Amino acid sequence: MNKINYLRLSVTDRCNLNCIYCNPAEKEKFLHKSEILSYEEMARITKIFSMLGVNKVRITGGEPLIKKEIVKFVGMLRDIKAIDEISMTTNGTHLKKLAKDLKHAGLDRINISLDTLQAERFEKITGTDGFHDVWDGITASMEAGLSPTKLNVILMKGINDDEVDDFIDLTFRYPLIVRFIEYFPTNRRLKEYSGNTITNEKVKGVIINAYGELKEGRDVIGNGPARYYQVNGAVGAVGFISSFSDNFCSACNRIRIDSSGMIYPCLFTKEGYAVRHLLKENVSDEVLLQFITGVIREKPLHNKKNECEPKVEMSSVGG
Ligand code: SAM
């Protein structure tokens, strides 16, 4: 069984953007407030996970920064002794005003999703004109010392695949880690967009053609399957997450919980395991420990992405 030390915690299923490949706005139904775990419950479940070996937590969403008192929640996680590292994945639109407070509350580092460096194109991809807000958020994050600041980029054929150079150019100007994440089919848009996946092998080829060989093994703090490289002369780095073309199950150290208290041992698990009722009944730590131990055992050794219709929505479980 893989060692599970990394929890991805989705604090809301709502988002202020509607990216074409994620489409939170098209969800049939958002969770009602009463269905969402309180911060106290989320912190409690995190503590239980920490008793089972989890020492890293990533806050995600929906969009975590539109959630009220998110800074306070970061502080609550910081108070859990066994948690060594707290990170966040955000679209960055609300980051400018929050970056310093998040850092102060105990956030260590941040990943910002940004698929284009063109304001007009940003609007087409996300449905809003927030490009400059995101850019200000990225700058604020670097200034606040949320380090390293990473950008998550999904390239799609005919939509933004002409921007590889522009993203690499950022790594010469800023200590940013630009990560190309392969689009992978987990949601309603599976059929529409799966043909648009651009493999990282192809992206790497484009970079090598333009900049020469990549220096392998650049040391970047991270919890996952990304492989990091450096373009000669750059201050930042480039990472590749080949979620579509590669299978990194054997090294998978993560478990996910969404804001309603559904635990997913794998993104490709057909069903989640509901822990919400146990939290509402205020059962003892022993009962929760037993329950979560059982869920962790259900983590498959190999993902079934080619075998099952995934039920998990990226927009709720948070990547
Ligand atoms: N709102 C936050 C954000 O935008 O980063 C957190 C939630 S978002 C669902 C988390 C990450 O999942 C983003 O980096 C997004 O690009 C990625 N994502 C969403 N759908 C995806 C898909 N089908 N394949 C690969 N990554 C996906």
Side-chain angles (χ1 to χ4, degrees):
M1 205 169 77
N2 293 0
K3 184 173 169 2
I4 308 298
N5 67 351
Y6 175 36
L7 173 68
R8 295 182 66 101
L9 172 58
S10 172
V11 292
T12 175
D13 61 338
R14 290 169 194 257
C15 190
N16 55 331
L17 301 186
N18 189 31
C19 298
I20 51 176
Y21 52 84
C22 196
N23 286 113
E26 283 179 20
K27 265 189 85 166
E28 277 156 30
K29 199 171 149 269
F30 286 101
L31 291 168
H32 185 263
K33 215 173 154 192
S34 62
E35 295 171 287
I36 293 182
L37 299 184
S38 66
Y39 281 148
E40 284 70 23
E41 288 164 336
M42 289 180 192
R44 181 167 185 220
I45 205 73
T46 304
K47 192 170 171 198
I48 300 289
F49 271 109
S50 79
M51 291 155 96
L52 292 168
V54 165
N55 64 348
K56 298 165 199 290
V57 185
R58 174 170 298 277
I59 302 169
T60 176
E63 173 46 43
L65 295 185
I66 60 170
K67 180 115 171 156
K68 269 190 200 144
E69 301 199 300
I70 190 72
V71 172
K72 177 184 113 181
F73 181 56
V74 170
M76 288 166 74
L77 293 182
R78 188 79 283 169
D79 287 342
I80 303 173
K81 286 204 175 57
I83 299 298
D84 302 326
E85 187 192 273
I86 307 169
S87 55
M88 181 181 281
T89 301
T90 170
N91 62 35
T93 49
H94 288 236
L95 189 54
K96 184 183 177 188
K97 60 180 183 299
L98 290 171
K100 259 196 205 147
D101 291 346
L102 288 166
K103 175 73 185 174
H104 191 67
L107 190 73
D108 293 298
R109 55 194 185 82
I110 206 155
N111 291 5
I112 301 161
S113 307
L114 181 64
D115 304 315
T116 176
L117 297 170
Q118 301 175 20
E120 249 176 65
R121 194 175 272 181
F122 182 93
E123 194 162 348
K124 283 194 186 119
I125 294 175
T126 68
T128 74
D129 68 352
F131 173 76
H132 296 287
D133 293 335
V134 179
W135 186 254
D136 289 348
I138 292 170
T139 310
S141 167
M142 288 188 284
E143 280 169 8
L146 290 166
S147 178
T149 295
K150 296 179 183 173
L151 302 189
N152 286 351
V153 185
I154 295 189
L155 293 175
M156 291 159 285
K157 267 182 213 148
I159 295 177
N160 60 347
D161 56 335
D162 54 349
E163 292 192 55
V164 174
D165 277 2
D166 298 337
F167 276 106
I168 294 300
D169 184 52
L170 287 182
T171 71
F172 284 89
R173 293 188 283 134
Y174 305 96
L176 287 169
I177 314 294
V178 171
R179 309 187 326 155
F180 293 104
I181 302 180
E182 286 175 354
Y183 169 81
F184 64 98
T186 57
N187 64 6
R188 294 170 296 263
R189 288 299 167 103
L190 168 65
K191 294 191 177 64
E192 203 170 318
Y193 282 105
S194 57
N196 283 8
T197 297
I198 299 183
T199 63
N200 273 333
E201 210 184 314
K202 198 162 175 197
V203 181
K204 215 187 267 181
V206 171
I207 299 172
I208 290 170
N209 261 344
Y211 297 92
E213 278 308 313
L214 289 168
K215 203 158 71 191
E216 212 181 323
R218 157 78 194 248
D219 201 14
V220 175
I221 303 170
N223 296 321
R227 304 233 167 95
Y228 291 102
Y229 300 81
Q230 197 164 22
V231 177
N232 202 8
V235 287
V238 58
F240 298 99
I241 303 186
S242 305
S243 15
F244 185 77
S245 59
D246 201 1
N247 177 320
F248 24 70
C249 307
S250 60
C252 184
N253 58 347
R254 59 188 61 189
I255 193 144
R256 296 171 168 86
I257 181 165
D258 75 9
S259 54
S260 72
M262 292 297 275
I263 305 175
Y264 297 96
C266 167
L267 256 190
F268 299 92
T269 320
K270 279 196 175 172
E271 305 285 353
Y273 296 80
V275 73
R276 186 171 168 277
H277 60 289
L278 296 179
L279 290 165
K280 296 293 168 203
E281 286 162 20
N282 203 15
V283 298
S284 65
D285 283 1
E286 284 68 37
V287 172
L288 285 173
L289 274 165
Q290 243 179 36
F291 179 80
I292 290 174
T293 305
V295 174
I296 289 176
R297 273 203 210 106
E298 291 301 315
K299 190 170 172 67
L301 285 174
H302 298 286
N303 83 36
K304 308 246 176 37
K305 69 180 168 188
N306 300 322
E307 289 171 28
C308 69
E309 274 284 305
K311 290 234 168 82
V312 178
E313 290 294 343
M314 290 297 269
S315 64
S316 315
V317 86

